[in-house]
Amino acid sequence: MSTRENQRWIYCQRPSGEVNESHYRLETVPLDSDLAANEVLIENHYISVDPYMRIQQSAKPNWEEPHPLNTLQRGAVVGRVVASRNAAFSDGDWVSAYTGWERYSRVHISAATKLDPQLAPVTTALGVLGMPGRTAWFGLMEAGQPRPGDTLLVSGAAGAVGSLVVQFGKKAGCRVVAFAGSDEKCEWLSDELGADSAINYRRFNGAAELDAFFKAERIRADIYFDNVGGTITDAVIPNINRRARIVICGQISQYSGNLDEVENGPRFLHHMLYQRACVQGILARDFNYRMDEMLAVVGPWVGNGEIRYRETIVDGFERLPAALSGLFHGDNTGKMIVRVN
Amino acid sequence: MSTRENQRWIYCQRPSGEVNESHYRLETVPLDSDLAANEVLIENHYISVDPYMRIQQSAKPNWEEPHPLNTLQRGAVVGRVVASRNAAFSDGDWVSAYTGWERYSRVHISAATKLDPQLAPVTTALGVLGMPGRTAWFGLMEAGQPRPGDTLLVSGAAGAVGSLVVQFGKKAGCRVVAFAGSDEKCEWLSDELGADSAINYRRFNGAAELDAFFKAERIRADIYFDNVGGTITDAVIPNINRRARIVICGQISQYSGNLDEVENGPRFLHHMLYQRACVQGILARDFNYRMDEMLAVVGPWVGNGEIRYRETIVDGFERLPAALSGLFHGDNTGKMIVRVN
């Protein structure tokens, strides 16, 4: 590809099940580098793939209208400025922006955030110091209301958000029970992130077995931070404590088709009544305006290693759809990022 | 029965489906009238039957251990003092107490509340000025957080709690959409209680039809006060607005068996995420200590007719189990009470 061209992944077909490359087309277009005042051209180095992208591909409205067909797949990027019409942004500056799956992004500077690679690796702007970090921090602190001594259950605990919730929960004095889909992930959760116990849910044959395990181990949730939904949630909800807080951050087990064709599961609202519990849905964007609060607290912890993070880096612009698909197979530990330059 | 005897309904067999007379036995015992200091003997006139009684007959713990077998069916009563060993309580005084399905109750005065029949009919202590009133008031005000202009959906709207939620919602400036199980109940809700619309859910064949109706009528909930659960709730939840509050007060459609053998229904937690909504379970007892607040506000409204209530009075001590069973068939409009004297 010449530097006078741009490449873009166009979302062009609605998936009815799992999303994969067949729902995209790769487009090569002339590079639009004719900047207006206060615009910059970014050469993207790292592009984010996130589970929420599949929600936006549901046929029905979610928090907004479905992602339009035949448009650039939206997403967060980290790259370097290669042209600027604003004095505050110079060639070579690292920035993050919300643009999409393209090699170059042209944005107004109000939509670009400058990054300091001395403070933290620039990829953290897509993970621990970006949207997933914000989601984990405010989701747990605001909706979860953790108190020392609480038992905090986390599903999807080895993911970008879950792995931070585990650590934030430990900082808040909780006993943390983490769920993940492999023994390797569970080892990481226990040995490096400090989870009090880590459970490979794939070793259990359905919710009834998991429920029996909770009862045998006397595991009951004061807080359940749910990224996954489905059978893990089916097993947790009958095992909540009085005034439990159930934080719905994601339902990744339900995304590949069932958001349009809803799956059935056990009714559980009577448990809300028994325990006077609360289910609270959260969304990262609601806390955008408080990003500075999160960074002020979590930034130093990342800098001094108190909060750990992993990234699963996939190499190659052409692998963006496959990387997205991999999220639904547990291919990632921590944040999944595609390196494109 | 001689006045030297007492009659009591003993809960003696756990129902696996609907509760009925076969789960009780009627016992005649000598009247225990040997009062200790500060005790009173109450001759019960009105005995309450409430849906929560069936929850307590589930095999599994709910907000407490299941109702013990072979003991008096617990419940609220209104009666007159016929013997007293405390100067503040005289023969003939009306009182309410939480005792059970028995003709006479012996209680410590700390467990009896004196009623003033001049202020309101004594039966209101079992309904609008009792537990159902407290549940409706605090459930709506605390968990529902009504604001003028909100759309409030109420299931079981013709019941003891629902019929008050409808009226409290109107006072708070809400547009109220009420669900009930007969056209007669719907007429009462619209014509007398002021519901903006009343929907006989039995006219809809399942959640999909009700969902289509909501969409056609542009009905979306800011608050959903749920006494019923099941298909009404299945239809409502995909039609909630941003930051909706779903108050779980009851799940009466689920009580007759499914609390032990859970019924399946559509998974809905992704909607919590989309709308950043909240499901909050409530229980009347959590607001016991604020009863005076409710009475100070609602008492005068009942006195001057601003808040209306109905009672479904069943006559005869021997019909207590049948009256309880009737709650699960919609036999009542407003509060179901059994007159026993």
Side-chain angles (χ1 to χ4, degrees), chain A residues 143 246-249 278-283 286, chain B residues 143 221-224 236-237 239-247 268-280:
Chain A
I246 299 170
V247 184
I248 305 299
C249 174
C278 178
V279 173
Q280 178 68 58
I282 58 149
L283 206 61
D286 291 348
Chain B
D222 297 296
I223 308 172
Y224 174 44
V236 170
I237 287 182
N239 294 287
I240 54 174
N241 279 332
R242 183 74 48 85
R243 298 192 206 291
R245 287 81 70 200
I246 299 170
V247 184
F268 64 79
L269 291 174
H270 55 110
H271 289 288
M272 296 298 110
L273 177 62
Y274 300 168
Q275 303 298 348
R276 291 83 109 187
C278 178
V279 174
Q280 178 68 59

Side-chain angles (χ1 to χ4, degrees), chain B residues 46 63 89 159 209 221 223 242 261 283 316:
Chain B
Y46 301 98
W63 48 80
F89 288 77
E209 274 194 27
I223 308 172
R242 183 74 48 85
E261 293 299 323
L283 205 60

